Amino acid sequence: MINKDVAVLGAGIVGVATALHLQTRGRDVALIDRRGAGEETSFGNAGIIERATIYPYLFPRDWRKLAVYAVNGLNEARYNWRDLPGFAPFLWRYFIESAPRRALDHALSARPLIEACLDEHEKLMRDAGADHLLRKTGWLKLFRNEASFDEGRAAAEAIKPFGLNVAILDAQDVRRAEPALRETVVGAVHYLDPASVSDPQALTLAYLRLFQERGGRFAQGDARSLQADSDGYVVETAEGVLHAREVVLCLGPWSDLALAPFGYKIPLAVKRGYHRHFRPEEGASLSRPVLDADRGYLLAPMARGIRLTTGAEFARRDAKPDYTQIEKSEIFARQLVALGPRVEDEPWMGRRPCLPDMLPVLGAAPRHKGLWFNFGHQHHGLTLAAVCGRLLAEMMTGEKPFADPSPFSIERFA
């Protein structure tokens, strides 16, 4: 029997950061995953630590736009008719939670996390020797027509009261900022406060190395084997049965599988996404992530090349990949930037864990002492990993939490 103070289940960026924060506070921690660290949801993203997104991703309320979504007419979001019945209850609740008053409440709840997200990552990066992965160049949101540019400017104005910095760029400004762009756009919003990383998985692995250098244990195991015993919890690993007084579930889109045996049901849904890398042609480098807002894809400079990432695909978590969205995005992206050969034979597909209020589940299980949650970070797993790891570790060790954790309790879904 392996004995630890805490077992963190899930070695994505959220789980590894949580393990580090607990370890820093004197806990003897084991980190467990069925695969290697950072190989699932954390592997594929735009690499942005999104210091500027106070408001969560909201369900559209423009019925004209919804009509276009309904026929899969916009590349930024796609769904499969076959899977729609299973998603319908979540989508309705998502719509309700996106009402203006509720959206503001959710934004104010998330604000302390967003404000501290980059600072907390920078602390861990310095300790892990991963500073070289960080770029403080913000990101660009491009617009191709005046109507969408007006919407983009309005959204930028809405976050200024939160002390955030943006720059409104005209077509010439965009060209100066990113000379490699081949198409002329109307303008862009430059979000200045966010940063980005050149290799999200390398960041997760750097955090893992720091955790192990400090005495942390990483083992392979299946979270579905988790069971309560008389004085804690046990889980099966490749190295034997592990016992811990406390357990943290950081299982992202698979969290419901571990929750169900304990009697917890939550409205968890999955937004799938795809990415692929391309070798840039000569002179086609980017200095920051660039979102083509009207065509629904993002390009980010990464260690492996330029990464093309898609928007959201509403589909069953384990359904076969549907490459329609990324193939369409590639057509658009090649018009914008001189992309060379594909790096991978097939695109990568990941799964984002989403709750209808677009807030994570973070805190204690109400009916099981020693069981804790930190999952459901929707599009912001990388962004919120370090700061949510800190907040949960403070709660678990009796420190005064730096932010009010009550909005993130699982009991909001009771």
Side-chain angles (χ1 to χ4, degrees), residues 284-344:
S285 62
L286 297 173
S287 57
R288 58 184 61 80
V290 174
L291 172 65
D292 191 338
D294 296 312
R295 292 184 172 175
Y297 67 91
L298 184 144
L299 294 172
M302 294 281 180
R304 299 192 68 193
I306 294 180
R307 178 180 290 186
L308 168 64
T309 67
T310 67
E313 179 197 36
F314 290 89
R316 288 177 292 115
R317 178 183 56 212
D318 300 319
K320 291 182 179 180
D322 178 352
Y323 297 136
T324 302
Q325 203 173 21
I326 194 164
E327 288 172 353
K328 188 174 182 180
S329 297
E330 181 180 339
I331 294 172
F332 293 145
R334 287 187 178 279
Q335 295 168 1
L336 184 67
V337 176
L339 301 178
R342 299 168 173 174
V343 174
E344 301 94 351

Side-chain angles (χ1 to χ4, degrees), residues 1-71:
M1 180 80 71
I2 305 167
N3 290 289
K4 293 288 180 180
D5 294 336
V6 184
V8 176
L9 305 186
I13 187 71
V14 172
V16 178
T18 300
L20 267 175
H21 274 288
L22 286 166
Q23 186 184 58
T24 299
R25 288 161 175 81
R27 295 297 176 90
D28 185 16
V29 184
L31 184 63
I32 300 169
D33 198 290
R34 63 181 180 177
R35 300 182 61 180
E39 293 185 6
E40 294 284 4
T41 305
S42 302
F43 184 80
N45 53 67
I48 301 174
I49 301 173
E50 184 46 298
R51 174 64 180 77
T53 302
I54 296 292
Y55 283 91
Y57 285 87
L58 302 176
F59 194 99
R61 306 190 80 77
D62 183 335
W63 291 102
R64 292 168 298 181
K65 195 169 187 178
L66 284 173
V68 183
Y69 280 126
V71 294

Side-chain angles (χ1 to χ4, degrees), residues 126-181:
R126 284 193 293 270
D127 289 345
D131 310 69
H132 62 285
L133 298 173
L134 188 68
R135 291 182 301 248
K136 289 189 171 182
T137 53
W139 65 278
L140 286 183
K141 190 173 186 178
L142 306 180
F143 300 95
R144 295 173 176 274
N145 60 72
E146 289 294 345
S148 63
F149 194 20
D150 287 343
E151 292 179 5
R153 284 190 291 247
E157 288 296 324
I159 66 171
K160 284 186 177 180
F162 295 102
L164 293 164
N165 301 293
V166 298
I168 306 301
L169 310 184
D170 62 20
Q172 291 184 338
D173 293 331
V174 174
R175 177 70 67 183
R176 284 191 288 268
E178 294 293 347
L181 302 184

Side-chain angles (χ1 to χ4, degrees), residues 239-380:
E239 301 173 16
V241 176
L242 185 143
H243 173 272
R245 290 185 293 105
E246 296 180 286
V247 169
V248 186
L249 299 186
C250 299
L251 297 167
W254 293 276
S255 297
D256 56 334
L257 300 179
L259 286 171
F262 292 91
Y264 298 100
K265 293 184 178 181
I266 54 172
L268 180 71
V270 170
K271 294 183 185 180
R272 304 200 311 186
Y274 300 81
H275 85 229
R276 185 173 228 157
H277 293 95
F278 299 85
R279 296 187 182 91
E281 300 288 355
E282 186 175 352
S285 62
L286 297 173
S287 57
R288 58 184 61 80
V290 174
L291 172 65
D292 191 338
D294 296 312
R295 292 184 172 175
Y297 67 91
L298 184 144
L299 294 172
M302 294 281 180
R304 299 192 68 193
I306 294 180
R307 178 180 290 186
L308 168 64
T309 67
T310 67
E313 179 197 36
F314 290 89
R316 288 177 292 115
R317 178 183 56 212
D318 300 319
K320 291 182 179 180
D322 178 352
Y323 297 136
T324 302
Q325 203 173 21
I326 194 164
E327 288 172 353
K328 188 174 182 180
S329 297
E330 181 180 339
I331 294 172
F332 293 145
R334 287 187 178 279
Q335 295 168 1
L336 184 67
V337 176
L339 301 178
R342 299 168 173 174
V343 174
E344 301 94 351
D345 293 333
E346 289 187 350
W348 178 88
M349 184 189 77
R351 304 156 178 90
R352 307 177 185 98
C354 300
L355 284 307
D357 55 10
M358 293 291 112
L359 296 174
V361 171
L362 189 151
R367 300 189 302 275
H368 295 82
K369 183 180 179 180
L371 181 61
W372 300 83
F373 307 130
N374 191 3
F375 65 84
H377 300 81
Q378 35 103 12
H379 298 259
H380 288 335

